[in-house]
Amino acid sequence: MDNDDSRIRGRLCPSLIGRGNLYDIIVAMATIMTSSSLCPLLIGRGLAASTNQTQDVYVLYDIIVAVPVAGGLDQSETRDFYVDAVPYSSTGCSLSLHHTEKPEHEDICEYRPYSCPCPGASCKWQGSLEAVMPHLTHAHKSITTLQGEDIVFLATDINLPGAVDWVMMQFCFSHHFMLVLEKQEKYEGHQQFFAIVLLIGTRKQAENFAYRLELNGNRRRLTWEATPRSIHDGVAAAIMNSDCLVFDTAIAHLFADNGNLGINVTISTCCP
């Protein structure tokens, strides 16, 4: 044990010394929490981890504790033990992180609940990955599903005013992909279209696929190829990062037929 740990050990209340299991430690902590001389030396969540060969010193970080000290402790000697379990531990995440690292991890954690992938803010559903497709089937019955690696995504009435979303599902390679065309009005009279493919799956699974979007017209072709995004990322993140096919109204009219826009969508697998 290093000198810092030895110094802290020497100042810990004897009630914590010699406790050999979590139950005894929690009982000890419940007892000393009534003490009037409390110190925020060990604050946080998680259990246990610093112990010498005789198992006489434990550093706790699985229950919120305020440890009384024998003889007092200068703030300059306090070490930062604020370690917290992430909110998604109940769904499988086993990490315990310093509180400053939590926000960044929570944004990318694969165990974070999945939100409804449909664009727009009207549906507030959240659940597990396995529950996404049943939710879409029952709550969004208007979404059409086509099977095959190469399909045509037909967006009808693209001249509708205001912000509009067109959504379709594609099933191939034993996975569901969500195809989204979103129209936004950036400013008066100027509209932009954003087309993207999302995988109903994890980010790691998405890396195994590639997609191609293609607009074909009279001696014209516009193509976009990319890796699909996981629905964990969502449509908004792809648009914000310009990771999608982007075109304006003038381009859309070059490829539209009577106000309807057909987008060829091809899904392929990537070699590992």
Side-chain angles (χ1 to χ4, degrees):
M1 183 175 295
D2 60 30
N3 291 334
D4 289 341
D5 286 341
S6 297
R7 184 173 69 250
I8 292 174
R9 172 194 169 194
R11 293 180 180 274
L12 288 175
C13 175
S15 297
L16 291 181
I17 306 301
R19 299 291 175 174
N21 59 61
L22 177 59
Y23 177 78
D24 286 340
I25 293 170
I26 293 175
V27 171
M29 295 311 302
T31 301
I32 63 177
M33 283 292 287
T34 61
S35 169
S36 61
S37 117
L38 297 179
C39 168
L41 172 63
L42 305 178
I43 301 177
R45 302 173 57 87
L47 169 74
S50 178
T51 176
N52 65 6
Q53 291 182 350
T54 59
Q55 296 186 343
D56 61 354
V57 179
Y58 284 84
V59 176
L60 297 182
Y61 50 97
D62 200 20
I63 44 179
I64 297 178
V65 295
V67 180
V69 298
L73 180 67
D74 292 337
Q75 287 298 317
S76 61
E77 298 182 59
T78 302
R79 295 172 59 181
D80 188 0
F81 284 105
Y82 187 19
V83 179
D84 203 353
V86 296
Y88 313 124
S89 56
S90 61
T91 56
C93 185
S94 59
L95 291 180
S96 291
L97 301 171
H98 190 277
H99 66 97
T100 59
E101 299 172 323
K102 282 179 57 184
E104 181 179 357
H105 172 74
E106 289 171 12
D107 289 339
I108 63 173
C109 182
E110 293 290 358
Y111 296 97
R112 175 169 56 93
Y114 286 77
S115 299
C116 176
C118 289
S122 59
C123 184
K124 303 299 183 181
W125 177 90
Q126 285 190 329
S128 66
L129 176 60
E130 294 74 18
V132 172
M133 282 308 301
H135 164 73
L136 294 176
T137 301
H138 291 92
H140 303 278
K141 297 180 179 180
S142 61
I143 298 178
T144 302
T145 300
L146 297 181
Q147 297 195 17
E149 305 166 21
D150 194 347
I151 67 167
V152 176
F153 175 20
L154 183 62
T156 58
D157 298 325
I158 64 170
N159 295 319
L160 289 171
V164 185
D165 296 299
W166 294 265
V167 181
M168 179 177 287
M169 300 297 298
Q170 181 175 356
F171 182 78
C172 58
F173 301 112
S174 301
H175 284 80
H176 285 90
F177 298 84
M178 174 172 279
L179 321 178
V180 177
L181 177 65
E182 181 168 310
K183 183 175 71 169
Q184 297 181 1
E185 188 160 358
K186 291 301 183 179
Y187 50 86
E188 185 66 28
H190 181 75
Q191 298 175 330
Q192 278 190 309
F193 292 83
F194 304 88
I196 187 172
V197 174
L198 305 174
L199 172 69
I200 310 296
T202 66
R203 295 182 181 94
K204 186 174 182 179
Q205 290 174 326
E207 293 174 357
N208 297 320
F209 300 96
Y211 74 92
R212 184 175 72 249
L213 303 178
E214 190 171 277
L215 298 177
N216 288 297
N218 183 23
R219 303 180 66 178
R220 296 181 179 89
R221 177 179 298 172
L222 181 62
T223 302
W224 167 266
E225 296 183 355
T227 299
R229 291 246 178 174
S230 164
I231 55 171
H232 244 172
D233 298 323
V235 175
I239 293 176
M240 182 175 62
N241 294 311
S242 299
D243 188 14
C244 54
L245 175 61
V246 183
F247 52 95
D248 60 18
T249 304
I251 297 295
H253 287 161
L254 289 176
F255 295 98
D257 182 15
N258 294 322
N260 302 321
L261 183 65
I263 305 175
N264 295 320
V265 184
T266 303
I267 307 292
S268 58
T269 56
C270 297
C271 296

